[in-house]
Amino acid sequence: MLLRIDAKLQLLREFPRIGTARDDIRPGVRMLVEGNYLMLYGYNPDADTAELVAVIDGRRDLTGLI
């Protein structure tokens, strides 16, 4: 699972806008999914970069998480 998450994060380095916007969690947060895990990250449009915020189990209640 860690290798699959790492591969997804490497893809994110190349394509930082690839994830789904999740303003319901926090404004400006985007998300990638791998298995049951969510990779939450912020996107900086000026630099076209992503910053990982958290990797969490997607079965959790996400309200008030970050």
Side-chain angles (χ1 to χ4, degrees):
M1 179 54 73
L2 291 176
L3 291 175
R4 292 188 350 222
I5 289 173
D6 183 59
K8 192 71 72 127
L9 292 174
Q10 295 305 317
L11 185 64
L12 179 62
R13 290 178 82 191
E14 293 181 46
F15 307 101
R17 291 178 287 169
I18 196 170
T20 304
R22 289 299 305 262
D23 290 330
D24 60 315
I25 297 171
R26 187 173 91 191
V29 167
R30 299 180 74 83
M31 173 186 76
L32 287 176
V33 177
E34 182 58 52
N36 289 331
Y37 293 91
L38 308 178
M39 290 156 273
L40 302 175
Y41 68 95
Y43 172 66
N44 180 342
D46 295 330
D48 195 34
T49 58
E51 181 179 354
L52 185 66
V53 174
V55 178
I56 58 167
D57 190 320
R59 297 169 288 189
R60 287 186 60 173
D61 177 15
L62 302 179
T63 56
L65 183 63
I66 58 173

